[in-house]
Amino acid sequence: MDQPGVSFEDEYGLHIDGRFTPPSGGEYQPTRDPATGEPIASVAVGTVEDVDRAVSVAREAAAEWRDVPPDERGRLVHRVGELVDDNAEELAAIESADQGKPLSQARSDVAGARRYFEYYAGAADKLEGRSVPVGPDQVDFTVREPYGVSAQVTPWNFPGNLFARGVAPALVAGNAVVVKPAPQTALSTLRLAALCAEAGLPDGVVNVVTGFGDPTGEALVSHENVDTITFTGSVETGQHIMKRAAETITPVTLELGGKNPAIVFPDADLDAVADHITTGIFTNAGQVCSAVDRLLVHESIHDELLDRIVRIAEGYEIGPGWNDPDLGPLVSEEHLERVHEYIDVGREAGATLVTGGASLDRPGYFIEPTVFTDVTPEMRIAREEIFGPVLSVFRFTDEREAIALANGVEYGLAAGVFTSEITRAHRMSRDLEAGTVYVNAWFGETNQTPFGGYKRSGIGREKGLEALDSYLQTKNIAIGLEDEADSLPGA
Ligand code: NAD
């Protein structure tokens, strides 16, 4: 079934060695429009043999790609960004139809994807080593070399954008990639792989093997010819992949979940805070790793702020992504059930449901924007990532209590502070255990800013120049200068 702005093939194969190819097992699975529950296309289920082929093709391609002069590598990666821009409307329509997100949010993801290719393209010829002073008898220097084959496993919430986030730095560093997107939302990844080929990247440098976590993802992350793994997804899968990687001593970059707190003091601009918080939790129906799941409000402004947030939430237009509403559906029926379970768990634990909590009486995986208050730290909805449009509100009395609440979870991806007092903003930023701290805003990161987790939210950093460290290893070269004759025994 076609959505406005895009037409789909019936079946999508794997993208290996620069072209689409059927899966060796002949199996396909439907990908569904979350706004209707209807299939929009079928996507190949990659087998262990397919993964093996993709990795060996990538290995061969990597050996040549690393020797392409860096300025030329940069130009080719930049060209991918141009093609993303040329095809932006189509890519946004694909993402919106496959993932469910409102069209304007999909457009913003695509613009971000283009920026990753542009940003990292400029770094391709600036990946310099160092010269190390060790005395007159030796010249010593470092070079930064690609790992070889980068395996990238991505989740279903920002598939196209996260493809670009991982693939662009991997490529400019001289690696070839094999990407395994999530089975729910593989279509934008496949289109982007085709654009990489169209941009002139050599065959085999970018490969996509679609399929399930097991066996497709499993075969990729345990493959002995994979040299580095970039994973974005849940903590449980991240832990599993790390164990697999231990068997082959393969480095991992893990971008995992969050349970992100925003702390609001009475001196903040409450109208602005309400806008930031509703955007922070309801964008992409809350299916955002850095969503603000926990709102920690000073007791003196709790009711005032809650009223503003509830008013915004209750005014939301909810509908299919292609109508560009405020809130689209959740990604799948399974995920809708999971979010409902958490809403039941919150009610049973004694939290007060202020608004939302119900599905819509229509096809598709829609759920109302939901706000709980009177949430206390021991409740499951206070500790576990729900990954839906569900905000949990807490009260606090002073800074110390706010920091204890904010840091009292296993996650540490993002956190925020809303205050007009600059010294307090700095104190809180220092004490929050999170890889990203927003002050008087939410979602402040850009392509240039490093992003990643403290604690169980991950290992390593994506985005910014720091991401390049995941795709380069340092070689030290030591050249002896002693005259050979001088160093002969007895000379
Ligand atoms: P998930 O962990 O279920 O799946 C992620 C990917 O891993 C999918 O492609 C899946 O097929 C694959 N996978 C599953 N089992 C595997 C295995 N045994 N071996 C190899 N691959 C396997 O996560 P999800 O439900 O798709 O995404 C939601 C999660 O992603 C949330 O926890 C969210 O916070 C996180 N996330 C984090 C970031 C970030 O940058 N920190 C960004 C987006 C999403």
Side-chain angles (χ1 to χ4, degrees), residues 5 7 22 37 284 335 388:
S7 58
N284 200 22
H335 192 52

Side-chain angles (χ1 to χ4, degrees), residues 9-326:
E9 311 280 331
D10 290 342
E11 278 182 355
Y12 288 84
L14 313 167
H15 201 273
I16 300 178
D17 209 10
R19 61 194 68 84
F20 284 101
T21 170
S24 62
E27 196 189 332
Y28 291 80
Q29 57 110 19
T31 184
R32 293 177 189 280
D33 176 353
T36 61
E38 297 297 323
I40 49 180
S42 287
V43 177
V45 179
T47 62
V48 174
E49 293 76 54
D50 294 324
V51 169
D52 197 39
R53 185 167 156 248
V55 172
S56 71
V57 159
R59 187 145 211 90
E60 268 179 46
E64 294 190 11
W65 177 240
R66 63 173 279 168
D67 288 337
V68 171
D71 55 335
E72 177 61 9
R73 274 208 308 269
R75 252 192 302 276
L76 285 167
V77 170
H78 195 272
R79 179 76 191 124
V80 179
E82 289 168 352
L83 289 180
V84 170
D85 195 34
D86 292 348
N87 295 276
E89 273 306 299
E90 184 206 352
L91 283 163
I94 292 173
E95 201 77 306
S96 176
D98 202 20
Q99 203 275 342
K101 63 182 62 188
L103 202 49
S104 54
Q105 294 176 23
R107 287 188 179 121
S108 156
D109 291 3
V110 172
R114 178 192 108 197
R115 278 287 296 136
Y116 282 121
F117 288 107
E118 286 176 355
Y119 172 75
Y120 287 109
D125 54 1
K126 300 168 191 71
L127 303 172
E128 298 166 355
R130 293 186 301 135
S131 135
V132 186
V134 290
D137 297 336
Q138 186 173 305
V139 166
D140 196 289
F141 61 98
T142 66
V143 287
R144 304 182 77 197
E145 298 191 334
Y147 277 93
V149 177
S150 158
Q152 309 217 346
V153 180
T154 57
W156 46 255
N157 59 342
F158 287 87
N161 186 273
L162 296 181
F163 172 93
R165 184 175 87 173
V167 168
L171 293 182
V172 299
N175 301 275
V177 295
V178 180
V179 182
K180 208 298 283 171
Q184 299 88 341
T185 59
L187 297 180
S188 59
T189 299
L190 290 166
R191 183 70 185 112
L192 284 163
L195 291 177
C196 287
E198 194 181 325
L201 286 170
D203 291 348
V205 168
V206 175
N207 307 281
V208 175
V209 184
T210 48
F212 297 101
D214 191 10
T216 321
E218 191 75 28
L220 182 60
V221 298
S222 37
H223 201 289
E224 60 181 5
N225 281 332
V226 160
D227 302 298
T228 180
I229 299 170
T230 298
F231 170 74
T232 305
S234 62
V235 171
E236 298 70 36
T237 311
Q239 285 171 322
H240 178 80
I241 287 177
M242 205 170 160
K243 285 179 193 155
R244 282 274 170 273
E247 284 159 24
T248 48
I249 314 286
T250 303
V252 289
T253 300
L254 302 178
E255 292 287 354
L256 309 177
K259 191 71 191 173
N260 312 299
I263 304 174
V264 187
F265 289 95
D267 56 11
D269 171 348
L270 296 194
D271 286 328
V273 173
D275 283 340
H276 284 296
I277 297 301
T278 45
T279 303
I281 181 60
F282 299 131
T283 295
N284 200 22
Q287 303 162 117
V288 182
C289 54
S290 53
V292 49
D293 318 75
R294 295 185 296 147
L295 178 62
L296 282 43
V297 191
H298 190 271
E299 57 184 0
S300 65
I301 50 162
H302 173 273
D303 295 355
E304 265 180 274
L305 182 57
L306 197 59
D307 281 352
R308 285 169 164 82
I309 288 172
V310 168
R311 211 174 318 130
I312 296 173
E314 290 182 348
Y316 266 24
E317 185 201 333
I318 308 175
W322 65 83
N323 279 348
D324 205 18
D326 299 306

